[in-house]
Amino acid sequence: MDALILAAGFGSRMGKLTEKIPKPLLSVNQKPLITYAIELIEDLSFNNIFVNTHYQAHILDKFLKQNYPHIKISHEVNILGTGGGIKKIQNQDILILNTDNLWQPEFNLEIKSAIRYFQKDNNIENLLLINSKSNFLDLDVSSNSEINFPPLKKNTQFQGCHLLRHSALNSYPEIFDIVKYWKD
């Protein structure tokens, strides 16, 4: 299994904060956002750890090469969307992490548990980690654990972490947002 940290976006919601640096390098508590994601998964056993880059890629690439030379960089010349960024590098089952979260080491246990669950059942194509106790709800998950689109009621929050089977995106185009896959 590989891991991918999504870091190619423009960070436009951050306004002036991301005019000169990519959002994954914004610091919280004197630590870049991407570092939280990297530190979370470094202790897990992955064949490869990838980071996709696009906006201000030269800055992020330099940071990664200096601090994490073992990480593989997947540069997107043109923005591929979340789904396209995953599809570009995926050749086996994959764990995908957003850099928007301040990942804490305790979440490592949840990821390990999710990976074990995912690996036991080959019928699971996509496993999203969610938090139903959050104050910010953005997904509608039914009683049989299916995501409803469009959301009729928002009853849970996507944690920014999911697992995906190696062949799940084969029929999708090279450029697309992962939400299209979730809707399908």
Side-chain angles (χ1 to χ4, degrees):
M1 179 176 283
D2 286 340
L4 170 63
I5 299 170
L6 299 170
F10 294 100
S12 54
R13 288 178 289 184
M14 303 304 290
K16 292 183 185 246
L17 293 174
T18 54
E19 283 180 353
K20 296 183 179 172
I21 63 167
K23 181 173 66 172
L25 291 181
L26 291 176
S27 288
V28 176
N29 296 328
Q30 290 79 47
K31 188 156 107 174
L33 286 171
I34 197 166
T35 302
Y36 289 93
I38 293 169
E39 288 177 354
L40 177 71
I41 61 174
E42 277 194 316
D43 290 336
L44 298 171
S45 181
F46 292 105
N47 295 330
N48 299 291
I49 298 174
F50 292 91
V51 172
N52 69 341
T53 65
H54 174 74
Y55 176 70
Q56 302 280 4
H58 63 287
I59 299 170
L60 187 52
D61 292 357
K62 181 180 177 184
F63 172 83
L64 292 169
K65 287 175 184 171
Q66 285 178 346
N67 297 286
Y68 304 100
H70 62 286
I71 288 180
K72 297 182 179 194
I73 298 169
S74 174
H75 178 68
E76 297 178 15
V77 175
N78 298 308
I79 200 80
L80 302 177
T82 307
I86 297 166
K87 184 175 178 174
K88 179 182 177 188
I89 62 101
Q90 187 181 17
N91 60 19
Q92 58 184 303
D93 294 347
I94 193 165
L95 171 89
I96 303 134
L97 280 181
N98 293 349
T99 55
D100 296 8
N101 298 19
L102 295 178
W103 297 106
Q104 299 302 305
E106 306 84 54
F107 197 68
N108 199 307
L109 296 174
E110 287 187 49
I111 291 176
K112 285 179 183 178
S113 177
I115 290 171
R116 281 193 303 274
Y117 183 79
F118 183 75
Q119 289 176 329
K120 275 194 245 176
D121 188 345
N122 284 329
N123 293 318
I124 299 171
E125 185 174 288
N126 186 28
L127 181 67
L128 275 75
L129 280 72
I130 59 172
N131 177 1
S132 58
K133 296 177 183 162
S134 170
N135 291 328
F136 175 76
L137 304 175
D138 59 355
L139 286 179
D140 178 4
V141 178
S142 69
S143 59
N144 61 348
S145 298
E146 292 181 359
I147 302 169
N148 296 311
F149 282 104
L152 303 172
K153 57 181 178 161
K154 294 179 181 177
N155 58 8
T156 193
Q157 177 190 35
F158 174 50
Q159 287 292 85
C161 176
H162 68 279
L163 294 142
L164 192 64
R165 290 275 173 233
H166 71 279
S167 59
L169 304 179
N170 287 353
S171 64
Y172 286 83
E174 301 305 311
I175 300 172
F176 76 101
D177 188 26
I178 196 67
V179 173
K180 176 172 179 17
Y181 165 78
W182 291 345
K183 287 179 182 178
D184 293 346

